[in-house]
Amino acid sequence: LLCVDGRLLAVTFFRKRLELVDVEAAHIVVSTVCAGGAKLWQVVVGSAEVRIGFVKSGLLRTVCAPLSQSAPIVLATGISATDIRAVCAIDVQVGGHQMHVALLGGEDGHIRIIKCNDTQLDVLTNVRRHRSVIRCIQSIPSICLDGDANRFVLSAGAGSELRCWRLDSSSSDDELALVDWAQAPVLDDRDIRIMGIAVVHREFDGQIIVWDVSAFITGTVDVTKANIALEAVLKIPNVHQSGVNTMCARVNGADIVVASGGDDCSISLTWIGSTPPSVQSITRKELAHASAIQGVSFLGGFSICSVSTDQRVAVWNQHLELQDMAITLVSDPSALEVSTIGDDTQIMIAGIGFETFTMPCSYQ
C-alpha cells in the first residue's frame, strides 16, 4: 500500500500484470505487463507520474506513466457481455435540454444508448435488429424530418447489413427511443462485413467506396416498401494493403477529407473532390502503430487521433506527423470516438471495456 497526497494506492498483481489501484475510487491508475510479483519490482509514485521498475529476462525494465487525479469512466459490469466494436457520441435535445449520449454496438448485435454523466454511465435503450456483429455506428448530422429532437444514425456490420435509425425523444423527458427507420438492401454476397461508415464505405480489400445514401435518410422514398439499389459513385483502390478497419470523414468546403486505418498498421488521408467525385491526393503514414489500427477520428481542424490493438492512442497533424501518444487501459480496443462536452474534448475508447479521457487543448 502507498499513500500519496491523501490517496491510498494498492500495488496488485494478476499473473504477470502489475496494476496500481486507487482504493477509495476503486479504479486502476496504471496497468502494465511485468515479470510477476515473484520477481524483483519497485513502484515510485510522484505527484504527477508513476515509475515502475522490474527485472525481466535478466534485464532491468522501467515504465513511466502519468498519475491521473480522477477516475476514468468505465462501463459497469453487465452492460455488455461481449466485446464492444463500435461507439458513436452525439448530443441530442431531450425534454428541452441537451443530453450527451454514446451509442455502443458489438458482437451480440445490440445497440445500446448510454447517457454520459460526470460520475456514471446509464443505459437508456437496448435494441437488437442486426443478425450478427455490429462493426460501425455513425451519426448523420443536420438531417431532421419533424423537429430538432430527432437525429439519425447508421449502423452496419456482418452479413452486409446497413441500417438507418432515428433517435426519438418525444415520448418522455427522461427517455430516448431508437426507432428502426430503414434498411439498405442486403448484398448478394452475405460474407461481406461492412467495417465502417463515414460518408463512405470500406471493405477487406483495402479500397474505399463512396455511396449516395440520401434516398433513405431524407424521407424522399418510402424505404420500407421500395427496393432501393445503392450505387457507388467512386471507388478508390489500394488505399491500404489489406483490410480497411476504420474510417472517418470531414467536409472541407466542397471537398471531403477521409482518414482511414487498416490491418497494414498505416494511416491514410484521402482528399476527395465532390464535383464530380474524384481523388485529389492521398497521404500515407506507414507503420503508424505496431499492430492493426482499429479507430481514427478527427480532432480540431485536420488533426487525427488513432488507436490500435497495441493499446496506444496517438495524435497526428494533417501531415501525419506524430504529435503525442498515450496508453489506454482498454484491452483489445476496437473503436474510437471524439466528442465535445462544453469546452472539453473527450476521447472514447471501446473494446473489452470502455474508457473516456480529456484531450489537451493544444490538439483541439
Side-chain angles (χ1 to χ4, degrees):
L1 294 177
L2 302 172
C3 185
V4 180
D5 297 333
R7 300 173 65 187
L8 184 61
L9 305 177
V11 180
T12 65
F13 289 90
F14 178 73
R15 295 178 180 171
K16 293 187 177 182
R17 179 170 290 275
L18 182 151
E19 294 181 342
L20 185 64
V21 181
D22 188 318
V23 176
E24 183 178 357
H27 80 275
I28 299 174
V29 178
V30 176
S31 178
T32 184
V33 175
C34 65
K39 304 294 184 179
L40 292 176
W41 59 270
Q42 181 69 38
V43 176
V44 178
V45 181
S47 59
E49 65 180 14
V50 180
R51 292 185 178 273
I52 302 172
F54 53 89
V55 176
K56 185 176 182 180
S57 301
L59 299 175
L60 176 62
R61 304 174 186 269
T62 60
V63 175
C64 182
L67 181 61
S68 173
Q69 298 299 318
S70 59
I73 301 175
V74 296
L75 285 180
T77 302
I79 287 184
S80 178
T82 57
D83 293 359
I84 302 169
R85 295 303 184 190
V87 57
C88 176
I90 59 175
D91 292 319
V92 292
Q93 290 288 335
V94 180
H97 64 276
Q98 197 84 345
M99 180 184 293
H100 190 71
V101 300
L103 284 79
L104 308 179
E107 297 286 345
D108 57 4
H110 288 254
I111 293 183
R112 297 172 174 85
I113 300 180
I114 308 295
K115 179 181 178 181
C116 302
N117 298 319
D118 293 336
T119 57
Q120 64 182 12
L121 301 174
D122 300 322
V123 179
L124 301 181
T125 303
N126 187 351
V127 179
R128 180 177 182 180
R129 291 292 184 272
H130 283 263
R131 296 188 301 270
S132 186
V133 57
I134 299 172
R135 193 56 183 83
C136 48
I137 302 175
Q138 177 65 44
S139 65
I140 305 172
S142 304
I143 296 179
C144 301
L145 297 184
D146 48 17
D148 292 338
N150 293 314
R151 291 286 299 274
F152 292 84
V153 295
L154 297 171
S155 63
S160 73
E161 281 189 280
L162 175 63
R163 291 181 176 272
C164 181
W165 306 82
R166 186 184 70 182
L167 292 171
D168 186 2
S169 60
S170 60
S171 58
S172 171
D173 290 346
D174 299 324
E175 295 183 2
L176 190 61
L178 193 61
V179 180
D180 192 2
W181 187 255
Q183 180 182 7
V186 177
L187 301 177
D188 294 336
D189 188 357
R190 291 179 178 268
D191 292 334
I192 291 179
R193 172 177 290 191
I194 302 176
M195 297 294 289
I197 310 167
V199 290
V200 284
H201 163 71
R202 61 187 185 268
E203 295 188 21
F204 286 124
D205 54 4
Q207 68 176 331
I208 291 178
I209 306 175
V210 181
W211 302 80
D212 182 2
V213 298
S214 59
F216 71 93
I217 62 177
T218 59
T220 57
V221 176
D222 185 356
V223 295
T224 62
K225 298 180 180 179
N227 184 17
I228 300 175
L230 299 178
E231 296 184 359
V233 297
L234 179 64
K235 294 184 178 182
I236 311 172
N238 303 322
V239 178
H240 291 271
Q241 295 180 7
S242 53
V244 183
N245 292 335
T246 177
M247 182 174 55
C248 64
R250 172 161 290 185
V251 176
N252 180 36
D255 301 330
I256 298 170
V257 185
V258 180
S260 59
D263 284 334
D264 56 1
C265 308
S266 69
I267 295 176
S268 295
L269 271 179
T270 304
W271 298 75
I272 302 174
S274 59
T275 52
S278 59
V279 178
Q280 296 180 341
S281 66
I282 299 178
T283 304
R284 293 185 178 88
K285 177 64 177 179
E286 304 292 342
L287 299 178
H289 285 264
S291 56
I293 297 170
Q294 303 295 345
V296 293
S297 184
F298 281 106
L299 300 172
F302 294 99
S303 296
I304 299 171
C305 185
S306 63
V307 68
S308 169
T309 309
D310 60 10
Q311 295 184 268
R312 285 171 169 81
V313 182
V315 177
W316 313 84
N317 62 19
Q318 65 180 11
H319 305 295
L320 296 184
E321 297 170 337
L322 183 63
Q323 302 296 296
D324 202 357
M325 183 170 285
I327 302 295
T328 176
L329 300 181
V330 175
S331 299
D332 191 20
S334 302
L336 177 148
E337 176 78 345
V338 174
S339 65
T340 302
I341 303 178
D343 296 331
D344 296 329
T345 297
Q346 298 287 328
I347 294 180
M348 299 182 177
I349 307 293
I352 304 179
F354 182 65
E355 179 182 13
T356 72
F357 53 92
T358 301
M359 169 63 61
C361 297
S362 58
Y363 302 125
Q364 297 179 19

